[in-house]
Amino acid sequence: MEQQGYYGAFGGSFIPEILVPAFAELNEHFEQIKQDSAFWQSYLSMLADFSGRPTPLTYAEGLTKHYGKARIYIKREDLNHSGAHKINNALGQGLLAKRMNKTRVIAETGAGQHGVATAIVAAKLGLNATIYMGREDMERQYANVFWMKRYGAEVVPVDYGSRTLKDAINEALRDWVSSFEHTHYLLGTASGAHPFPSIVAYFQSIIGKEAKEQIMQAANRLPDRVYACVGGGSNALGVFQAFMPHPEVELIGVEAGGKGMASGLHASRIAYGQGTTGIAQGYKTLFLQNKDGQMRDTYSIAAGLDYTGVSPILADLAEQGRVRFEAATDVEVIDALKLIMTKEGLVPALESTHAFAGAFREIEQTTNQEIVIINMSGRGDKDIFNIAEGLQDDEWTAFIARKNEQYANATS
Ligand SMILES: *Cc1c(COP(=O)(O)O)cnc(C)c1O
């Protein structure tokens, strides 16, 4: 038998025996829906109706003029309901859960964005939702905890390990062991045990399908380069897949370079060449780990890119040379953000800004005959605390201090 669920040397399914039936059921239904055009149609109409798809492909006239090189187009995933691409996957898996007659979904969340998308979809589809989140992450991203609860989800703090994403994943799997008869595990990125990388990539493929049609409409030809940021890998695979059959289209994944390669404070598994093959969290991929297989601490200005593993599908595409990997540092990201806001009137999420920073760094290599697409995976106005901190905005800091004082007075 071919090694099932492998993408080249990566992927697989390293799960406890007790979860084998849960994964088998999921595999079976995923194989069915892929053959079922009515399911895909119901997915598309729900995305149109609820999330505002198709999202536009915006010509970035200001940036294009600024550089005087390739024509830059921006795929606007920020215009989705909830402000990012994560809802594409959450909605798809929500519909899949309904089809499997599940009444409840569980999810892990790091920065909280996937938790919010899952809570929204659960409310919309009438499913119960439990979200696992490390205590440390809850402290750092309380606004998202607030929203998850308001949408009716139960948020369970995880109080062991480093109290971050990997511990939340372990806890969600532990829940699933005793609940899979009525519960679907709605995993948030194109990682984890097979078939999750394929499922998430499948639902996110809508991004590239639209972008390809839109660039053909706008320019009557394919782009020369497509840039996307890479955390777990879902928005990148989402936009890349449609262009994969066209070798003339260069695909570039941009990781979080943090404070630079030498600092060790980053989340670049591939571009900096520091990820090594390992098996953790149910799958085999390139992880940032020490020699004993202990996961290293990662760092990024963008919480959503702060992850030790990477999609096994992308690890394989990197090895094949089909996707090139780069990393953008915090400094480059902040500079890019300022430029995008003033030249385009857009505010990308800090995650998405990595894709822009990667593209800007290489724009001199292009000519004005070429076309570049940048995937704007989400919007930044919901990250106002992080962006104000990144921009070191003193007036904002003073405003928060005044607010704090008001709250302190009101509660004393
Ligand atoms: C979560 C998130 C990411 C990173 O996740 P991927 O699975 O790599 O796409 C990127 N951008 C935004 C806006 C996010 O919310």
Side-chain angles (χ1 to χ4, degrees):
M1 198 174 92
E2 274 283 277
Q3 283 198 302
Q4 218 222 343
Y6 274 81
Y7 316 93
F10 305 103
S13 177
F14 301 85
I15 52 170
E17 193 66 29
I18 194 162
L19 277 174
V20 169
F23 276 87
E25 184 189 24
L26 186 57
N27 251 312
E28 186 191 317
H29 282 88
F30 179 50
E31 290 306 316
Q32 279 175 16
I33 61 156
K34 280 194 286 183
Q35 309 302 320
D36 184 350
S37 59
F39 182 90
W40 184 257
Q41 280 312 317
S42 68
Y43 171 60
L44 289 188
S45 73
M46 187 105 203
L47 281 172
D49 205 38
F50 186 61
S51 193
R53 298 206 77 93
T55 61
L57 181 75
T58 302
Y59 173 52
E61 190 177 358
L63 287 170
T64 301
K65 283 198 173 134
H66 174 76
Y67 286 112
K69 293 286 176 174
R71 288 162 67 85
I72 300 171
Y73 287 83
I74 303 172
K75 181 58 174 162
R76 301 289 307 282
E77 290 305 293
D78 59 305
L79 291 177
N80 277 297
H81 176 38
S82 85
H85 69 292
K86 287 204 169 67
I87 194 116
N88 302 330
N89 168 56
L91 205 50
Q93 287 198 50
L95 292 173
L96 180 58
K98 296 280 274 192
R99 188 181 162 116
M100 294 190 294
N101 291 319
K102 310 292 180 184
T103 55
R104 175 175 175 259
V105 289
I106 54 175
E108 82 296 342
T109 196
Q113 293 141 321
H114 174 55
V116 172
T118 302
I120 286 173
V121 164
K124 176 66 180 170
L125 298 180
L127 297 161
N128 296 315
T130 302
I131 314 294
Y132 290 96
M133 189 168 185
R135 177 81 69 182
E136 188 74 24
D137 287 335
M138 285 178 72
E139 287 298 319
R140 285 192 292 203
Q141 305 287 340
Y142 190 75
N144 285 333
V145 176
F146 171 86
W147 286 122
M148 284 182 250
K149 289 184 173 171
R150 297 288 145 185
Y151 286 120
E154 182 193 9
V155 183
V156 180
V158 180
D159 260 324
Y160 61 80
S162 54
R163 302 184 179 87
T164 57
L165 180 61
K166 69 173 170 28
D167 312 296
I169 293 171
N170 289 337
E171 210 48 34
L173 282 170
R174 190 169 305 173
D175 178 313
W176 212 29
V177 163
S178 57
S179 67
F180 63 79
E181 273 180 29
H182 57 83
T183 295
H184 173 63
Y185 179 10
L186 206 165
L187 201 134
T189 188
S191 304
H194 181 76
F196 281 112
S198 298
I199 291 177
V200 177
Y202 179 72
F203 287 125
Q204 293 293 1
S205 69
I206 187 65
I207 303 173
K209 286 195 171 96
E210 288 177 7
K212 187 173 167 185
E213 260 180 43
Q214 289 164 325
I215 199 67
M216 291 308 292
Q217 277 282 326
N220 201 27
R221 70 176 194 80
L222 292 170
D224 298 278
R225 300 172 178 218
V226 180
Y227 290 87
C229 68
V230 180
S234 70
N235 87 88
L237 281 165
V239 71
F240 288 166
Q241 285 170 96
F243 300 104
M244 221 86 91
H246 307 282
E248 68 275 26
V249 182
E250 197 180 357
L251 307 173
I252 303 103
V254 186
E255 296 177 302
K259 305 209 181 289
M261 178 153 81
S263 70
L265 294 171
H266 60 77
S268 169
R269 299 124 309 183
I270 301 179
Y272 288 166
Q274 295 183 359
T276 52
T277 302
I279 295 167
Q281 294 155 17
Y283 72 117
K284 186 174 183 180
T285 195
L286 298 170
F287 289 98
L288 283 171
Q289 54 190 336
N290 68 19
K291 286 192 188 68
D292 310 319
Q294 281 262 304
M295 292 303 147
R296 269 170 56 178
D297 282 339
T298 52
Y299 162 81
S300 171
I301 193 173
L305 302 185
D306 202 350
Y307 180 47
T308 50
V310 64
S311 174
I313 303 175
L314 283 175
D316 178 46
L317 289 168
E319 193 161 285
Q320 290 178 37
R322 182 64 187 93
V323 176
R324 174 161 64 80
F325 275 80
E326 300 293 337
T329 63
D330 290 0
V331 171
E332 290 175 298
V333 165
I334 292 297
D335 285 347
L337 183 66
K338 290 177 186 164
L339 192 68
I340 300 154
M341 291 184 71
T342 51
K343 294 290 175 199
E344 292 299 331
L346 294 175
V347 57
L350 287 168
E351 288 84 356
S352 324
T353 310
H354 284 70
F356 286 87
F360 295 168
R361 190 202 292 160
E362 302 180 340
I363 200 81
E364 287 299 325
Q365 303 168 5
T366 67
T367 70
N368 60 11
Q369 301 301 302
E370 292 178 45
I371 292 176
V372 164
I373 292 180
I374 302 170
N375 194 38
M376 180 163 162
S377 54
R379 63 182 160 86
D381 46 357
K382 64 197 165 72
D383 298 340
I384 187 161
F385 285 90
N386 298 337
I387 289 184
E389 202 177 306
L391 293 173
Q392 298 177 317
D393 188 315
D394 294 340
E395 287 170 26
W396 170 264
T397 310
F399 163 70
I400 295 296
R402 286 197 300 278
K403 274 276 170 208
N404 268 336
E405 210 168 312
Q406 281 169 22
Y407 284 127
N409 291 337
T411 53
S412 63

